[in-house]
Amino acid sequence: MRVTIVALGSRGAVQPYVALATGLRSVGHHVRIAAYADFEPLVRHHDIDFHPITRNADELETCGKSDNWLGSNPVQGLRRLSNLLAPVVERSLANCNDACHDADVVVYSTIGWLVAQHVIERRGVPGVAALLQPATPTEAFPAIALPQVRMGRAWNRASYRVLERLFWLMLRRSLDRARDEVLNLPPMDRRIPFASTNPAHLVLYGYSPSIVPKPADWNENVHVTGYWFVRESEPWTPTPELRQFLSNGAPPVYIGFGSMRSSGTERLSTIVAQTLRTTGERAIVLSGWGLNANGMPDSVLAVRSVPHDWLFPQVSAVVHHAGGGTTAAGLRAGVPAVTVPFFADQPFWGARIHLVGAGPRPIPRTRLRARSLSRALRAALGNHEMHERAQALGERIRREDGVGRAVEAFEGWVKRT
């Protein structure tokens, strides 16, 4: 079977699909990944066919700027996000259509769904949702892009339709224009705008059931498989400076906020520097994105890029933005996490880390101060029970075969369709 995986987003949103593609290929499928051209080396390294999406990944990183997204009003936040995503959808649709020209089935990521659903309709092929965040309506918790407030089971389930409707209202003009000009399709059905929400579709969730168990009201077509980790990373050699830093003292703390860019970089960097002076901890700081190394104490080593799967098992705790990929790597390593969510699904993952006992309560980025970060870091480092829970959780996640379970579910679905 010819499978095209549409995976749009940053590296952390593409790498799990490389793992999934490798698993599907191992049982005889021909797999192609359609992603931003930046990630062709990553995909080709694993001998997976690749089709480029011409939009550059950097253009989505502006979603991480507090000026664009953050705010207490989710409607305003969605409007800002829709303004950013509209050109992505329009300009990516033609590339996605080309990538799926011979596909027997189209598998799509969360952002990839914005374009893949129209190609699926145009080509008349089945679609499979392979998502890294829960999106199927449930009574267990509200839609993760909305505030995680307790308003009862009825609201939890209704919140998914509310979010879907808001999103559609903000993107409908761009979507309908792209459908007409690129695919010669009519406008979307106003009553059921997103056909991909049909419960008959296969849905694969690439996160651990130890973090988010499958809700009782999800049907048999929805599978929480475990994280999708690549078995062999790209070749990487640490610098002598990094090796020496790790060997010359107690395990350091890692502090990094991924590809989050913010107008408050200087303020955030100052808070981190003050925290490290207060706590006296050695630290490896990811610089060049949301942080810079100016004014950091001598106990800090600034790095530009380090693979999480190599570094995290060697640190005492991780301080991060609770992005899905970083969250998965930290949990797998079995170390406590202090989370500073910026936007989107990050508050959800930060809350989940706290709920399972692998870290203190998350600190929203807008409320971050040196005092609160110092307090949280001390809690993560000094709480023996938290360390034990993080270690036990890491062991469970390392035993999970998320890719294997996803492939098994895919194969069962193929036989039924």
Side-chain angles (χ1 to χ4, degrees):
M1 178 173 285
R2 295 182 297 274
V3 180
T4 295
I5 300 176
V6 182
L8 302 186
S10 64
R11 182 185 180 92
V14 173
Q15 188 161 302
Y17 297 97
V18 175
L20 180 61
T22 301
L24 291 172
R25 185 187 59 190
S26 72
V27 294
H29 300 293
H30 178 273
V31 188
R32 174 185 301 127
I33 290 181
Y36 293 119
D38 310 58
F39 305 118
E40 182 168 2
L42 167 66
V43 175
R44 297 285 189 192
H45 173 72
H46 294 272
D47 297 323
I48 303 296
D49 190 15
F50 182 81
H51 188 94
I53 302 295
T54 55
R55 295 285 288 180
N56 189 287
D58 287 344
E59 294 173 324
L60 276 185
E61 287 162 5
T62 53
C63 292
K65 294 184 69 173
S66 60
D67 295 338
N68 293 327
W69 231 100
L70 290 172
S72 59
N73 188 324
V75 176
Q76 292 179 358
L78 282 169
R79 184 177 295 113
R80 295 187 187 104
L81 182 61
S82 69
N83 290 337
L84 292 168
L85 288 179
V88 175
V89 172
E90 292 185 57
R91 300 180 191 182
S92 299
L93 192 55
N95 294 143
C96 179
N97 189 45
D98 291 341
C100 300
H101 74 278
D102 61 348
D104 299 309
V105 59
V106 177
V107 178
Y108 51 84
S109 67
T110 302
I111 298 179
W113 157 80
L114 287 172
V115 294
Q117 59 176 318
H118 313 291
V119 173
I120 289 169
E121 180 183 348
R122 179 68 178 84
R123 296 193 170 275
V125 296
V128 170
L131 311 178
L132 306 180
Q133 310 88 1
T136 304
T138 177
E139 295 180 352
F141 46 81
I144 65 172
L146 295 177
Q148 298 294 297
V149 294
R150 295 184 179 181
M151 295 178 59
R153 293 180 175 273
W155 161 249
N156 286 349
R157 176 168 286 277
S159 68
Y160 293 83
R161 300 308 180 199
V162 170
L163 181 64
E164 176 185 288
R165 202 70 182 175
L166 286 172
F167 207 64
W168 173 73
L169 288 173
M170 295 170 188
L171 280 176
R172 60 180 179 177
R173 291 188 179 88
S174 298
L175 290 173
D176 284 346
R177 182 168 58 249
R179 284 166 61 88
D180 176 46
E181 295 177 357
V182 178
L183 300 178
N184 194 29
L185 286 174
M188 299 174 69
D189 189 329
R190 268 46 180 168
R191 296 166 300 171
I192 312 174
F194 296 128
S196 61
T197 58
N198 187 325
H201 282 222
L202 176 67
V203 182
L204 304 174
Y205 282 119
Y207 54 76
S208 173
S210 295
I211 308 304
V212 185
K214 179 179 176 179
D217 54 354
W218 284 0
N219 65 32
E220 68 278 3
N221 295 319
V222 182
H223 302 264
V224 179
T225 67
Y227 288 112
W228 303 330
F229 294 114
V230 292
R231 296 196 176 188
E232 295 182 11
S233 300
E234 294 175 275
W236 186 83
T237 302
T239 64
E241 184 181 22
L242 177 55
R243 283 194 180 277
Q244 183 177 7
F245 185 82
L246 287 169
S247 63
N248 281 356
V253 173
Y254 168 85
I255 302 177
F257 301 108
S259 58
M260 297 298 99
R261 289 178 172 173
S262 171
S263 59
T265 295
E266 291 300 325
R267 176 181 174 274
L268 186 58
S269 301
T270 298
I271 289 173
V272 168
Q274 290 174 346
T275 297
L276 294 174
R277 287 194 182 91
T278 299
T279 61
E281 294 295 327
R282 287 165 23 93
I284 293 174
V285 172
L286 181 68
S287 65
W289 295 96
L291 291 172
N292 63 55
N294 298 333
M296 293 289 174
D298 294 337
S299 58
V300 168
L301 175 67
V303 297
R304 299 288 293 189
S305 176
V306 181
H308 292 162
D309 58 352
W310 182 90
L311 179 62
F312 284 4
Q314 304 180 70
V315 303
S316 57
V318 292
V319 180
H320 61 82
H321 58 301
T326 310
T327 294
L331 291 169
R332 185 191 195 192
V335 294
V338 175
T339 59
V340 183
F342 280 56
F343 74 113
D345 60 337
Q346 296 165 12
F348 177 84
W349 293 123
R352 283 284 159 172
I353 289 172
H354 175 61
L355 182 65
V356 298
R361 192 178 302 276
I363 309 170
R365 183 230 177 272
T366 53
R367 299 180 185 175
L368 185 67
R369 304 292 185 272
R371 179 179 297 180
S372 59
L373 184 56
S374 299
R375 185 185 306 116
L377 184 56
R378 283 173 171 150
L381 294 171
N383 188 318
H384 181 67
E385 292 183 0
M386 189 178 293
H387 270 268
E388 288 187 336
R389 285 193 290 267
Q391 289 174 356
L393 187 59
E395 290 174 0
R396 290 202 302 272
I397 289 174
R398 290 191 294 273
R399 287 196 300 267
E400 292 173 354
D401 181 11
V403 170
R405 291 185 63 188
V407 171
E408 181 181 357
F410 183 89
E411 291 292 273
W413 174 77
V414 168
K415 291 177 181 178
R416 296 193 303 270
T417 56

Coordinates of all heavy atoms in Angstrom, one line a residue, residues 297-345:
P297 N 25.4 33.1 34.9 CA 26.6 32.9 35.8 C 27.6 31.9 35.2 O 27.3 31.2 34.2 CB 25.9 32.3 37.1 CG 24.6 31.8 36.6 CD 24.2 32.7 35.5
D298 N 28.7 31.8 35.8 CA 29.8 30.9 35.3 C 29.4 29.5 35.4 O 30.1 28.6 34.7 CB 31.1 31.1 36.1 CG 31.7 32.5 35.9 OD1 31.3 33.2 34.9 OD2 32.4 33.0 36.8
S299 N 28.4 29.1 36.1 CA 28.0 27.7 36.2 C 27.1 27.2 35.1 O 26.6 26.2 35.1 CB 27.2 27.5 37.5 OG 26.1 28.4 37.6
V300 N 27.0 28.1 34.0 CA 26.1 27.8 32.9 C 27.0 27.5 31.7 O 27.9 28.2 31.4 CB 25.2 29.0 32.6 CG1 24.5 28.8 31.3 CG2 24.2 29.1 33.8
L301 N 26.6 26.5 30.9 CA 27.1 26.2 29.6 C 26.0 26.5 28.6 O 24.9 25.9 28.7 CB 27.6 24.8 29.4 CG 28.1 24.4 28.0 CD1 29.4 25.2 27.7 CD2 28.3 22.9 27.9
A302 N 26.2 27.4 27.7 CA 25.2 27.7 26.6 C 25.5 26.8 25.4 O 26.6 26.7 25.0 CB 25.3 29.2 26.2
V303 N 24.4 26.3 24.9 CA 24.5 25.4 23.7 C 23.5 25.9 22.7 O 22.4 26.5 23.0 CB 24.3 23.9 24.0 CG1 25.3 23.4 25.0 CG2 22.9 23.7 24.6
R304 N 23.7 25.6 21.4 CA 22.8 26.0 20.4 C 21.8 24.9 20.0 O 20.7 25.1 19.7 CB 23.6 26.4 19.1 CG 24.5 27.6 19.3 CD 23.8 28.9 19.4 NE 23.1 29.2 18.2 CZ 22.5 30.4 18.0 NH1 22.5 31.3 18.9 NH2 21.9 30.7 16.9
S305 N 22.3 23.6 20.1 CA 21.4 22.5 19.8 C 22.1 21.2 20.4 O 23.3 21.0 20.2 CB 21.3 22.4 18.3 OG 20.5 21.2 17.9
V306 N 21.3 20.4 21.1 CA 21.7 19.1 21.6 C 20.5 18.2 21.5 O 19.4 18.5 21.9 CB 22.1 19.2 23.1 CG1 22.6 17.9 23.6 CG2 23.2 20.2 23.3
P307 N 20.7 17.0 21.0 CA 19.5 16.0 20.9 C 19.0 15.7 22.3 O 19.8 15.3 23.2 CB 20.2 14.8 20.2 CG 21.3 15.3 19.5 CD 21.9 16.5 20.3
H308 N 17.8 15.8 22.5 CA 17.2 15.6 23.8 C 17.4 14.1 24.3 O 17.6 13.9 25.5 CB 15.7 15.9 23.8 CG 15.4 17.3 23.6 ND1 14.1 17.8 23.3 CD2 16.1 18.4 23.8 CE1 14.1 19.1 23.2 NE2 15.3 19.5 23.5
D309 N 17.3 13.2 23.3 CA 17.4 11.8 23.8 C 18.9 11.5 24.2 O 19.1 10.5 25.0 CB 17.0 10.8 22.6 CG 17.8 11.0 21.4 OD1 18.6 12.0 21.3 OD2 17.6 10.2 20.4
W310 N 19.8 12.3 23.8 CA 21.2 12.1 24.3 C 21.5 12.8 25.6 O 22.1 12.3 26.5 CB 22.2 12.6 23.2 CG 23.6 12.4 23.6 CD1 24.4 11.3 23.3 CD2 24.5 13.3 24.3 NE1 25.7 11.5 23.8 CE2 25.8 12.7 24.4 CE3 24.3 14.6 24.9 CZ2 26.8 13.3 25.1 CZ3 25.3 15.2 25.6 CH2 26.6 14.6 25.7
L311 N 20.9 14.0 25.7 CA 21.2 14.9 26.9 C 20.4 14.6 28.1 O 20.9 14.5 29.2 CB 21.1 16.3 26.5 CG 21.4 17.3 27.6 CD1 22.8 17.2 28.1 CD2 21.1 18.8 27.1
F312 N 19.1 14.4 27.9 CA 18.2 14.4 29.1 C 18.5 13.3 30.1 O 18.3 13.5 31.3 CB 16.7 14.3 28.6 CG 16.2 15.6 28.1 CD1 17.0 16.8 28.0 CD2 14.9 15.8 27.7 CE1 16.5 18.0 27.5 CE2 14.4 17.0 27.2 CZ 15.2 18.1 27.1
P313 N 18.9 12.1 29.7 CA 19.3 11.1 30.7 C 20.5 11.5 31.6 O 20.7 10.9 32.6 CB 19.6 9.9 29.9 CG 18.8 10.0 28.6 CD 18.9 11.5 28.3
Q314 N 21.2 12.6 31.2 CA 22.4 13.0 31.9 C 22.2 14.2 32.8 O 23.1 14.7 33.4 CB 23.5 13.2 31.0 CG 23.8 12.1 30.0 CD 25.0 12.4 29.1 OE1 26.1 12.5 29.5 NE2 24.7 12.5 27.8
V315 N 20.9 14.7 32.9 CA 20.7 15.9 33.7 C 19.8 15.6 34.9 O 19.2 14.5 35.0 CB 20.0 17.0 32.8 CG1 20.8 17.4 31.6 CG2 18.6 16.6 32.4
S316 N 19.8 16.5 35.8 CA 19.0 16.3 37.1 C 17.5 16.7 37.0 O 16.7 16.2 37.7 CB 19.7 17.1 38.2 OG 19.8 18.5 37.9
A317 N 17.2 17.6 36.1 CA 15.9 18.1 35.8 C 15.9 18.9 34.5 O 16.9 19.3 34.1 CB 15.4 19.0 37.0
V318 N 14.7 19.0 33.9 CA 14.6 19.8 32.7 C 13.5 20.9 32.9 O 12.5 20.7 33.5 CB 14.1 18.9 31.5 CG1 15.3 18.0 31.1 CG2 12.9 18.2 31.8
V319 N 13.9 22.1 32.5 CA 13.0 23.3 32.5 C 12.6 23.6 31.1 O 13.5 23.9 30.3 CB 13.6 24.5 33.2 CG1 12.7 25.7 33.2 CG2 14.1 24.1 34.6
H320 N 11.4 23.5 30.7 CA 11.0 23.6 29.3 C 9.6 24.2 29.1 O 8.9 24.4 30.1 CB 11.2 22.3 28.5 CG 10.4 21.2 29.0 ND1 9.0 21.0 28.6 CD2 10.6 20.1 29.8 CE1 8.5 19.9 29.1 NE2 9.5 19.4 29.9
H321 N 9.2 24.4 27.9 CA 7.9 25.0 27.5 C 6.8 24.1 27.4 O 5.7 24.5 27.1 CB 8.1 25.8 26.2 CG 8.5 24.9 25.1 ND1 9.7 24.1 25.1 CD2 7.9 24.6 23.9 CE1 9.8 23.4 24.0 NE2 8.7 23.6 23.2
A322 N 7.0 22.8 27.7 CA 6.0 21.8 27.6 C 5.5 21.5 26.2 O 4.3 21.1 26.0 CB 4.8 22.1 28.5
G323 N 6.3 21.8 25.2 CA 6.0 21.3 23.9 C 5.9 19.8 23.8 O 6.6 19.1 24.6
G324 N 5.1 19.2 22.9 CA 4.9 17.8 22.9 C 6.2 17.0 22.8 O 6.4 16.0 23.5
G325 N 7.1 17.4 21.9 CA 8.3 16.6 21.7 C 9.2 16.7 22.9 O 9.8 15.6 23.3
T326 N 9.4 17.9 23.4 CA 10.3 18.0 24.6 C 9.7 17.3 25.8 O 10.4 16.7 26.6 CB 10.5 19.5 24.9 OG1 10.9 20.2 23.7 CG2 11.6 19.7 26.0
T327 N 8.4 17.4 26.0 CA 7.7 16.7 27.1 C 7.9 15.2 27.0 O 8.3 14.5 28.0 CB 6.2 16.9 27.0 OG1 5.9 18.3 27.3 CG2 5.4 16.1 28.0
A328 N 7.8 14.6 25.8 CA 8.0 13.2 25.6 C 9.4 12.8 25.9 O 9.6 11.8 26.6 CB 7.7 12.8 24.1
A329 N 10.4 13.6 25.5 CA 11.8 13.2 25.7 C 12.1 13.3 27.2 O 12.9 12.5 27.7 CB 12.7 14.2 24.9
G330 N 11.6 14.3 27.9 CA 11.9 14.5 29.3 C 11.2 13.3 30.1 O 11.9 12.8 31.0
L331 N 10.0 13.0 29.8 CA 9.3 11.9 30.5 C 10.0 10.5 30.2 O 10.2 9.7 31.2 CB 7.9 11.8 30.0 CG 7.0 12.9 30.5 CD1 5.6 12.9 29.7 CD2 6.8 12.9 32.0
R332 N 10.5 10.3 29.0 CA 11.2 9.1 28.7 C 12.5 9.0 29.4 O 12.9 7.9 29.9 CB 11.4 9.0 27.2 CG 12.1 7.7 26.7 CD 12.6 7.9 25.3 NE 12.8 6.6 24.6 CZ 13.5 6.5 23.5 NH1 13.9 7.6 22.8 NH2 13.7 5.4 22.9
A333 N 13.2 10.1 29.7 CA 14.4 10.1 30.4 C 14.2 9.8 31.9 O 15.2 9.5 32.6 CB 15.2 11.4 30.2
G334 N 13.0 10.1 32.4 CA 12.7 9.8 33.8 C 13.2 10.8 34.7 O 13.6 10.5 35.9
V335 N 13.3 12.1 34.3 CA 13.8 13.2 35.1 C 12.6 14.2 35.4 O 11.7 14.3 34.5 CB 15.0 13.9 34.5 CG1 16.2 13.0 34.5 CG2 14.7 14.5 33.2
P336 N 12.6 14.8 36.6 CA 11.5 15.8 36.8 C 11.6 17.0 35.9 O 12.6 17.3 35.4 CB 11.8 16.2 38.3 CG 12.7 15.2 38.8 CD 13.5 14.6 37.7
A337 N 10.4 17.6 35.7 CA 10.3 18.7 34.7 C 9.6 19.9 35.4 O 8.6 19.7 36.1 CB 9.5 18.3 33.5
V338 N 10.2 21.1 35.2 CA 9.6 22.3 35.5 C 9.1 22.9 34.2 O 9.9 23.1 33.3 CB 10.5 23.3 36.2 CG1 9.9 24.7 36.4 CG2 11.0 22.7 37.5
T339 N 7.8 23.1 34.0 CA 7.3 23.6 32.8 C 6.8 25.0 32.8 O 6.2 25.5 33.8 CB 6.1 22.7 32.3 OG1 5.1 22.7 33.3 CG2 6.6 21.3 32.1
V340 N 7.1 25.7 31.7 CA 6.7 27.1 31.5 C 5.9 27.2 30.2 O 6.5 27.5 29.2 CB 7.9 28.1 31.5 CG1 7.5 29.6 31.4 CG2 8.8 27.9 32.8
P341 N 4.7 26.9 30.2 CA 3.9 26.8 28.9 C 3.8 28.2 28.3 O 3.5 29.2 29.0 CB 2.5 26.3 29.3 CG 2.8 25.6 30.7 CD 3.8 26.4 31.3
F342 N 3.9 28.3 27.0 CA 3.7 29.5 26.2 C 2.3 29.6 25.6 O 1.6 30.6 25.8 CB 4.7 29.6 25.1 CG 6.1 30.0 25.5 CD1 6.8 29.4 26.5 CD2 6.7 31.1 24.9 CE1 8.0 29.8 26.9 CE2 8.0 31.5 25.3 CZ 8.6 30.9 26.3
F343 N 1.8 28.5 24.9 CA 0.6 28.6 24.1 C 0.1 27.2 23.7 O 0.8 26.2 23.9 CB 0.7 29.6 22.9 CG 1.5 29.0 21.8 CD1 0.9 28.7 20.6 CD2 2.9 28.7 21.9 CE1 1.6 28.2 19.5 CE2 3.6 28.2 20.8 CZ 2.9 27.9 19.7
A344 N -1.0 27.2 23.0 CA -1.6 26.0 22.3 C -1.7 24.9 23.3 O -2.4 25.0 24.3 CB -0.7 25.7 21.1
D345 N -1.1 23.7 22.9 CA -1.2 22.5 23.8 C -0.3 22.5 25.0 O -0.4 21.6 25.8 CB -1.0 21.3 22.9 CG 0.4 21.2 22.3 OD1 1.0 22.3 22.1 OD2 0.8 20.1 21.9

